Amino acid sequence: MRALVVAALLAAPAAAKKAHGHGDGINNYTLVEEADLTRFDGKLVANWEAQGWIGGDVNKFWWRTEGETKGPRLEQSEFQALYSRNIATFFDLQAGLRHDIAPDARTYAVIGVQGLAPLFFETEAHAFIGFKGDVLFRLRQSFDIRMTNRLVVQPLFETDIYATRVPERLIAPGPAIIETGILTRYEVTRRVAPYVAVMFERRLGESSRLARAAGENPGGWSIRTGVRFWL
Amino acid sequence: MLRRFFLVLALLLPSLAHAASYDLVVERQAMQIVPGRTDSVIAINGSVPGPTLRFKEGEEAVVRVTNRLSATTSIHWHGLLVDGAYDGAPGFNGFAGIAPGETYTYRIHIRQSGTYWYHAHSEGQEQAGQYGALIIAPAGEDPIKSDVEHVILLSDHTREDPGRVMRNLKSDSGYYNWNKRTLPELVRDAKKFGMQATMAERRAWGQMRMDATDIADVSGYTLLMQGQPTQVRPTLAFTPGQRVRLRFINGSAMSFMDVRIPGLAMTIVAADGRPVQPVTVDEFRMGVAETYDVIVEPPAGAFPLWVETLDRRASVLGRLTSDPALSIAAPAPRPKQVLLLAEMGHSMPAAGEPCSAEHAAMGHCQMMGAATPAVATPTDPDCPPEHAAMGHCTPKAPAAAVPSDPDCPPEHAAMGHCTPKGAAPMPAPAAPSDPECPPEHAAMGHCTPKAAGPRIGTAVALAARPDGGTPYPVVDYGFGKDPMAGMDHSQMKGMMAMPVLGKEGDTDGSGRVFGWATGAPYGAHVLSMRDLVALTPKADATPPTREIVVRLQGNMERYIWTLNGKKFGEGPPINVKFGERVRVTFVNETMMAHPMHLHGMFFEVENGQPPGLMPEKNVIVVAPGRTQSIILTANEAGEWPLHCHLLYHMNSGMMGKLVVANVLGPDGKAVPAAGHVH
């Protein structure tokens, strides 16, 4: 028996590391950051924002979606499918496609970074190059302030800065839209956290004037309650 | 050919010896571990933990393991000297694991005695319940005398699936930390230390994107003592007057534990299965996968056996009692810790070495590259080039001007760590002529005269809180050395600017203690790794011929853990010649303690004891930012895993392969040597 083992040892090929299953597992993550239903302008507004990934430590498929319905109408919706590669300790480089259904159908090439900036700022910075020639840059940052280990106050800030004019979307070049506010969540578990968000979302400058001229609301304050959860 | 024949013959002969056999069936089951709920576990022969296996030294052990899971499994015999194929680590020595439905027969010639354990070495199966105790009686007289014994297998049970735990950690590394610092704590710290100092400290942690409260990666555990949580009232019976041997096994996946029996002195008599000279302690800290044999001689009554995890979020209370009617109460819980930035600053990669993520984050790596001024004479033998490059070495002359105690490095003096010798409750220093006690150890009171009776745990140096001292003492568990001790910190640019709010042992505004190694009170006798001395001197105590450096690194945020910057399978194996005697130095560059485990062999821990008397272990804890070396005589051929025994660290990459071989194969690669020298 032992001789057999010895023989086996001598003949043993470099045993597959896969057999052990260490170090290179495929994981996945799905975070619904915002899912809420509120009243705005006398209409029921549904808002969602979700992202997730599937992959290993270095290479991931990353997706993201956000959108809003007002009454029965889909106001805005976008979907991103990205290849995400870990390039620094705290950052991934991402590239891929974004497709919007509303306000109008549009596709963009996406390139950007996502990660954790110093002082624990969750950071997303992406450039979008539209197939119809429109170009914009989006920055999103947020930060967790823990009142207790469950009650978290999260200031967040997002802006879309356009390099081009997009008449169909009533957009002028420059910082066109900002969204900022404070989202207060209570982590019932790490994965389920109801929240109340006090948000200010508004068009700026000429983009605001264009919207008003078209009879649209350039934005303002809103209070949203919903649930943040991950699967 | 003739040689092969004799080899086969020689190998077959021992099989005539007495054989002990066990059949183990590994199966997923729904089981009530914690009263009132049913959890999905992996049981062995229908129980968690699995049955306690008992062998006798010299026996031929045969264990048939049947896999009734839907996934490949394995059983590893932790601490056992085995043929590689029977070590039970898939991916090593040609062992591919046990496929579903299959039975694998392990054959082990038992050539040791003591307290060990066994566990799955596949994915997260160990966490789900696939582990048990393994006790080996010596062939001759047991050097450890006792009247009764109890096996105390400690484990951390969770109802979560281990795969889910890993996924949670990969998605949010702080998922299980419910001890994070809060805004109200910041306000209280600002009140105590001033707003500016508090913000500077918070900013420093924030710059590094590291968490000062990251003591344990996983929580939500129920601690079990032989499979029983506190609610089930685990009970250990004794008769007054008996010498009771407690065989402690930390069989947990992730939990460091502090063990104490208030009111009862414990005498440590063995560590990781190997007998040591008795050390009397009030408490000891157990790294994951360590085992300790303890003798207690309790008077009539009931004593609480109190075990708590380092993050103080899980505990188990056992009852050591001479009368089943008696009840006990748990002692007051210990304060929670906050790590000190300074703990991190003590380990840095040398010039040209790979830079760990945490260091990169701290900007240490840039410093390395930018370093040009050679402060020290390049030829200074006391100053390795990498330190010189960092400006850590000062010319001899000013160093000599340091007036004080040679045992007290300036930075310790500055921190108030050094006390007059007389104040220490340690045994009298040995005579300087003691050949087994080098002068520097004698001066520290580490050597006891042989006749002075049992040793006493020395991790806490002070018997009482000195005037102006911190509320808690510094506890030096001996889990590695501070590689920067004795250096002039004022010369370190950038590093020592790292703000700290208090000294180790101080409390923050919310009553948390600063420092990883804290919690025990003044005057407690706490086991230090330095206190362990092999019971029988080892014959081969020659110095090692070379040094292998293993850097323990990680990216906590992404939950990736590595050895020398490589996840398992990414880097080359560590090759050691059969019979070679090497020093392996672990440099912990992370904020977490890592219990490093080597399969297949014992190693000697360089704990300050003289050669030959250093304790033999198979797990060594390296505290955050510390450096610990071991000496290995590579006398077992094969491919041996060398890994962090924190399950999710290992599973996220913190493992390497140590190959002991003396042959080169036709492809020029090392091939494990055949046979053994017994």
Side-chain angles (χ1 to χ4, degrees), chain A residues 1-2 6 20 22-24 28-29 57 86 89-90 92 116-119 146-147 149 190-191 230-231, chain B residues 86 90 109 121 164 167 170-171 174-175 177-178 180 182-184 206-207 209 357 555 558 567 651 655:
Chain A
M1 182 61 217
R2 288 223 183 175
V6 167
H20 211 73
H22 290 292
D24 244 345
N28 68 85
Y29 176 61
D57 289 335
N86 186 220
T89 306
F90 300 101
D92 274 20
L116 189 66
L119 303 176
R146 294 186 179 272
M147 303 312 290
N149 264 276
R190 280 277 188 256
R191 295 214 290 271
W230 52 288
L231 307 173
Chain B
Y86 299 135
H109 173 58
H121 217 283
R164 178 77 224 195
R167 203 181 126 193
K170 289 276 186 190
S171 302
Y175 186 94
N177 184 0
W178 293 99
K180 286 181 186 170
T182 62
L183 186 66
Q207 286 292 347
R209 287 154 279 183
N555 178 346
R558 298 289 174 118
K567 289 195 291 185
N651 285 356
M655 175 158 73

Side-chain angles (χ1 to χ4, degrees), chain B residues 34-334:
Chain B
V34 179
R37 73 174 208 227
T38 303
D39 301 338
S40 170
V41 298
I42 297 179
I44 301 176
N45 293 0
S47 72
V48 172
T52 296
L53 307 186
R54 287 183 183 271
F55 298 108
K56 196 170 163 66
E57 191 177 358
E59 267 181 341
E60 288 297 312
V62 177
V63 187
R64 286 171 292 267
V65 178
T66 301
N67 180 8
R68 292 213 185 125
L69 302 173
S70 56
T72 299
T73 191
S74 56
I75 297 268
H76 162 60
W77 316 99
H78 184 107
L80 256 61
L81 306 170
V82 294
D83 285 326
Y86 299 135
D87 179 52
F92 293 82
N93 299 300
F95 176 67
I98 309 167
E102 276 187 11
T103 298
Y104 187 84
T105 305
Y106 289 90
R107 293 173 194 278
I108 302 165
H109 173 58
I110 305 279
R111 43 199 168 103
Q112 65 198 107
S113 64
T115 303
Y116 304 94
W117 62 302
Y118 62 93
H119 58 81
H121 217 283
S122 300
E123 303 290 345
Q125 292 167 4
E126 176 201 320
Q127 169 86 87
Q130 194 176 336
Y131 51 84
L134 196 161
I135 308 296
I136 307 172
E141 202 185 347
D142 198 328
I144 299 163
K145 303 273 175 289
S146 64
D147 304 310
V148 63
E149 71 165 52
H150 293 288
V151 175
I152 302 172
L153 174 53
L154 303 163
S155 55
D156 48 10
H157 170 75
T158 176
R159 65 188 315 189
E160 274 189 300
D161 174 68
R164 178 77 224 195
V165 174
M166 181 60 111
R167 203 181 126 193
N168 290 341
L169 290 168
K170 289 276 186 190
S171 302
D172 172 9
S173 60
Y175 186 94
Y176 293 99
N177 184 0
W178 293 99
N179 290 333
K180 286 181 186 170
R181 284 169 141 183
T182 62
L183 186 66
E185 283 183 62
L186 185 143
V187 172
R188 287 195 288 269
D189 279 358
K191 255 183 221 156
K192 184 166 178 176
F193 305 106
M195 182 55 96
Q196 209 180 344
T198 303
M199 290 311 288
E201 194 245 17
R202 294 297 200 276
R203 202 177 305 118
W205 282 103
Q207 286 292 347
M208 292 187 293
R209 287 154 279 183
M210 293 202 294
D211 189 340
T213 60
D214 180 25
I215 308 291
D217 287 349
V218 183
S219 66
Y221 283 134
T222 304
L223 278 203
L224 307 179
M225 192 178 283
Q226 275 304 95
Q228 298 180 320
T230 301
Q231 298 97 300
V232 182
R233 290 161 53 95
T235 298
L236 312 160
F238 69 92
T239 309
Q242 276 182 330
R243 258 175 84 86
V244 185
R245 179 177 187 168
L246 307 175
R247 295 178 182 266
F248 285 97
I249 301 162
N250 185 342
S252 69
M254 289 298 280
S255 302
F256 277 66
M257 298 177 187
D258 283 335
V259 179
R260 56 195 160 119
I261 309 176
L264 203 56
M266 299 183 279
T267 303
I268 310 274
V269 289
D272 288 359
R274 294 298 213 214
V276 294
Q277 292 183 22
V279 190
T280 301
V281 300
D282 297 322
E283 67 174 85
F284 59 100
R285 178 164 287 189
M286 282 188 98
V288 172
E290 284 189 303
T291 78
Y292 285 98
D293 285 34
V294 168
I295 296 285
V296 290
E297 293 177 89
F303 299 86
L305 168 52
W306 177 245
V307 182
E308 61 185 327
T309 57
L310 243 61
D311 65 350
R312 316 298 179 204
R313 288 189 68 88
S315 61
V316 60
L317 177 65
R319 195 164 54 120
L320 182 63
T321 183
S322 58
D323 176 355
L326 295 173
S327 62
I328 43 146
R334 292 268 168 84

Side-chain angles (χ1 to χ4, degrees), chain B residues 410-426:
Chain B
E411 81 280 11
H412 283 136
M415 290 191 288
H417 286 177
C418 306
T419 39
K421 293 267 143 60
M426 287 189 265

Side-chain angles (χ1 to χ4, degrees), chain B residues 346 402-421 462 466-470 474 482 484-489 503-504:
Chain B
H346 286 187
V402 175
S404 60
D405 189 342
D407 293 329
C408 182
E411 81 280 11
H412 283 136
M415 290 191 288
H417 286 177
C418 306
T419 39
K421 293 267 143 60
L462 298 178
D467 285 340
T470 55
V474 172
D482 176 350
M484 300 244 168
M487 287 181 195
D488 183 354
H489 284 202
K503 291 182 279 201
E504 201 171 346

